[in-house]
Amino acid sequence: MVRVRGSLDIARPVEEVFDFVADQRNEVRYNPAMTDSIKITDGPIGVGTRFHATILRRGKPLAVIVEYTGFDRPHLLASRSVMKGAVVTGQVRCEPVAGGTRLQWEWEITVPGLARLAGPVVGFIGRRQERAIWTGLKRVLEAGTDTVRLARP
């Protein structure tokens, strides 16, 4: 198991940051590796909501099922993501700070079999990827309210 954690500040209100992140369909706007995300459960977003996402890994599409395991708007979003070769569990927290929101992430990446021996490499790559993803979110949200539109059901 590998842990990946970090944080950054976003100059937007905590509710806006949380709602944008909670709708997984928005991630294609700020994660360059994600090509698609579809909500596959009915009803409002909350505990039990599931999404089918596609990311590119080494240039090839990889299916990911994301399920929300914790939901406390606008502060906590916990999830479990299952894909071939890994399971990622963890959470995102949003806390108000002067001038906006502090977004914190913490993930545990579990890989099966001998791949576990690559833990340090997985951790290094995971930290770099997460920093790039959340920096992309910061760019999108701080670009202005005219460019931020929540995905529709």
Side-chain angles (χ1 to χ4, degrees), residues 12-61:
R12 302 302 299 165
V14 68
E15 293 84 5
E16 182 180 322
V17 173
F18 182 89
D19 291 345
F20 196 77
V21 170
D23 192 333
Q24 177 72 37
R25 295 168 291 186
N26 288 318
E27 190 169 338
V28 298
R29 297 185 54 200
Y30 59 88
N31 179 350
M34 186 170 287
T35 61
D36 193 33
S37 184
I38 300 165
K39 186 171 174 265
I40 57 174
T41 52
D42 293 328
I45 294 173
V47 172
T49 299
R50 296 175 68 211
F51 297 87
H52 179 278
T54 303
I55 59 172
L56 295 178
R57 181 188 279 171
R58 294 184 289 253
K60 296 182 181 175

Side-chain angles (χ1 to χ4, degrees), residues 89-150:
T89 57
Q91 61 189 7
V92 171
R93 291 187 175 275
C94 295
E95 298 298 331
V97 295
T101 302
R102 175 155 300 137
L103 178 87
Q104 299 173 314
W105 60 90
E106 183 173 347
W107 307 113
E108 291 182 357
I109 304 167
T110 304
V111 292
L114 292 176
R116 287 177 299 185
L117 299 176
V121 173
V122 171
F124 174 78
I125 292 169
R127 282 185 283 283
R128 193 177 75 211
Q129 287 175 337
E130 286 301 301
R131 175 64 59 183
I133 290 166
W134 300 119
T135 300
L137 171 72
K138 176 180 173 76
R139 259 192 312 276
V140 167
L141 290 178
E142 290 181 353
T145 56
D146 291 343
T147 62
V148 178
R149 292 188 188 96
L150 298 176

